[in-house]
Amino acid sequence: MHGITQTHFPDASNLTRVYELQVNALCATKFTAKLYALAQPWVEQSFIREIRVKRLIGLSTMVKNLPLPYKGVLAHAYDNFPSTNLLNTPAFFLVLVRFISPVIPGVLSTIDQSVETLAKETCHVQDFYRGLFTTIHAGVDALSQGDGIISEGVDDGHDIDEDERITVLNHVLVADKDTTVFDQLVGQLLKVAQVTFQPSSSSFQDGLPGGPDNAFYRKALSTEILRALTPIDGVRAYLMHGVWHSEWDHENSHADPRFLEAAKALAPYVIEGPVEPFYREVWQIP
């Protein structure tokens, strides 16, 4: 597996501003459209590579090592809400702002304020998180190719054409004193996620589509480990970010003995988590 991952040291050229927020579903479309218009000028600046917005569709069950009968039961728990009673229906979004050059503090605070203000003015934002992360490991070309998703494009902030591919974002917290060893172990886990698939004898060497009634899965399209730039109260946040063909590919991969063995080494260092939401991309710039 030599060469499967690239290690990136914490510098200003591979920083990601991560926002996670909850708004009311009634104004979700308006919020993403206005954010698209707001974000276009930011990407025209040379210090931002891309901005992506993704909407939560469900949660992984297999990341919790639940019995196989529970596989995928929450994969679309937040997807396709009924049109009635939207007043009390939440919509959750992930926003990734990728930088390619040193981040000017004033610019970062301006973007922070703009996103938060937009969420408040468009609809009552119920929850808002922001964090600055650096990529410490990534699958080959994962950074240069973004999420590995070939988009159909965006028209004035409207949703892109529906794509089967999903984003997963595993959240874990680790004691800051353990980051050196955790960084190494999580890199090994990323290598496994990058190269394994089932069946291993697949003619395309990429596996077969996963489903609720089989153990097949195609290998991940993109893998990345992000670490919070600074700890909070002695605790460091990590995000294990990946893109898969489908939720079934992801769920089946987490039941693979090879993955379970690699993940076992991380367990003693995780003090909170894992929590792994599934997202579908809404738009990207460029």
Side-chain angles (χ1 to χ4, degrees):
M1 293 186 288
H2 177 70
I4 293 299
T5 64
Q6 300 170 339
T7 299
H8 299 270
F9 296 98
D11 58 38
S13 64
N14 66 317
L15 293 179
T16 300
R17 188 52 135 181
V18 177
Y19 303 95
E20 293 178 303
L21 60 152
Q22 176 188 346
V23 299
N24 189 277
L26 211 58
C27 56
T29 300
K30 180 189 291 186
F31 168 73
T32 56
K34 287 190 173 183
L35 182 57
Y36 179 81
L38 185 68
Q40 278 187 306
W42 299 344
V43 180
E44 292 172 0
Q45 307 297 320
S46 60
F47 51 81
I48 293 180
R49 176 167 61 83
E50 67 174 13
I51 300 177
R52 291 175 180 264
V53 172
K54 310 184 182 208
R55 183 169 180 170
L56 179 74
I57 62 169
L59 301 167
S60 170
T61 48
M62 298 314 294
V63 76
K64 294 289 191 180
N65 297 324
L66 294 177
L68 284 174
Y70 292 94
K71 181 175 71 174
V73 70
L74 296 176
H76 291 271
Y78 292 90
D79 201 12
N80 300 320
F81 276 121
S83 57
T84 58
N85 199 32
L86 284 178
L87 186 61
N88 297 314
T89 302
F92 301 89
F93 289 96
L94 169 69
V95 181
L96 302 175
V97 181
R98 303 283 200 171
F99 296 92
I100 56 175
S101 62
V103 183
I104 303 171
V107 171
L108 188 58
S109 62
T110 297
I111 294 175
D112 286 344
Q113 185 177 1
S114 298
V115 174
E116 189 167 9
T117 299
L118 178 64
K120 289 179 179 178
E121 290 181 350
T122 305
C123 49
H124 177 62
V125 61
Q126 296 165 296
D127 197 12
F128 189 91
Y129 164 82
R130 65 182 178 221
L132 192 58
F133 288 77
T134 184
T135 298
I136 59 170
H137 301 290
V140 172
D141 295 331
L143 291 182
S144 62
Q145 295 179 5
D147 286 349
I149 292 179
I150 301 174
S151 172
E152 296 297 328
V154 181
D155 179 17
D156 295 331
H158 295 298
D159 291 356
I160 61 173
D161 291 345
E162 184 172 340
D163 195 294
E164 181 189 18
R165 298 170 183 175
I166 63 159
T167 292
V168 297
L169 196 70
N170 191 349
H171 298 62
V172 298
L173 297 180
V174 175
D176 192 50
K177 63 181 178 61
D178 294 329
T179 54
T180 299
V181 64
F182 191 81
D183 287 357
Q184 180 180 4
L185 293 173
V186 79
Q188 295 300 313
L189 178 64
L190 180 140
K191 288 181 181 181
V192 173
Q194 185 75 20
V195 301
T196 54
F197 51 87
Q198 195 65 254
S200 56
S201 59
S202 168
S203 60
F204 293 104
Q205 292 300 297
D206 194 33
L208 294 174
D213 300 320
N214 65 35
F216 301 150
Y217 67 95
R218 292 160 290 188
K219 65 182 178 182
L221 293 162
S222 176
T223 56
E224 178 186 13
I225 309 297
L226 300 104
R227 184 185 64 207
L229 205 61
T230 56
I232 298 176
D233 297 330
V235 176
R236 186 88 64 159
Y238 284 79
L239 299 174
M240 304 177 197
H241 175 222
V243 176
W244 294 78
H245 286 282
S246 75
E247 71 275 14
W248 298 115
D249 286 329
H250 172 271
E251 296 292 74
N252 287 350
S253 77
H254 278 43
D256 189 312
R258 294 169 292 180
F259 181 90
L260 291 173
E261 184 63 27
K264 189 189 306 181
L266 275 66
Y269 301 97
V270 175
I271 60 177
E272 189 171 329
V275 176
E276 192 161 43
F278 289 158
Y279 294 92
R280 180 178 295 122
E281 185 157 293
V282 178
W283 56 254
Q284 66 181 78
I285 307 175

